[in-house]
Amino acid sequence: QAFELTERNKPHLIIADIIMPVMDGFVFLEKIKAIPGLSDIPIIIMTSDNRVETRNKAFALKANEFIQKPILGDISNRVRKFVV
């Protein structure tokens, strides 16, 4: 559903969790970044997985930011740098 909405509405920013129903966040990230016209949408990946491998995979798949849960503190600066 999120993928279809993204194709239809082209948001300014996407925040996606790694664990989602139907399609995981890595697959979602990879699909969005592979589509011309959508590949420039900044994507922030969020997860409670604190492994370096998970963070590296997100950036290898062209995530723009990686936020670990639980979120401690204000994330507005990390979001604001992608939305003017």
Side-chain angles (χ1 to χ4, degrees):
Q1 194 176 29
F3 187 74
E4 291 169 8
L5 286 169
T6 300
E7 286 185 304
R8 251 184 296 160
N9 299 309
K10 192 174 179 186
H12 296 284
L13 172 69
I14 297 170
I15 299 175
D17 202 321
I18 296 293
I19 299 173
M20 299 188 299
V22 183
M23 177 186 313
D24 75 34
F26 289 130
V27 173
F28 178 76
L29 174 61
E30 196 168 26
K31 284 184 144 201
I32 294 295
K33 293 298 185 175
I35 297 173
L38 298 181
S39 63
D40 61 332
I41 299 172
I43 299 178
I44 296 174
I45 293 293
M46 294 179 62
T47 184
S48 58
D49 184 341
N50 65 356
R51 294 177 299 156
V52 173
E53 298 83 13
T54 302
R55 180 183 184 85
N56 290 346
K57 182 175 181 179
F59 286 122
L61 294 172
K62 300 182 182 160
N64 298 86
E65 183 66 80
F66 184 91
I67 298 174
Q68 187 179 329
K69 298 186 294 184
I71 298 168
L72 304 173
D74 185 10
I75 66 166
S76 62
N77 287 335
R78 293 171 85 178
V79 171
R80 196 174 292 121
K81 69 182 174 183
F82 299 109
V83 182
V84 180

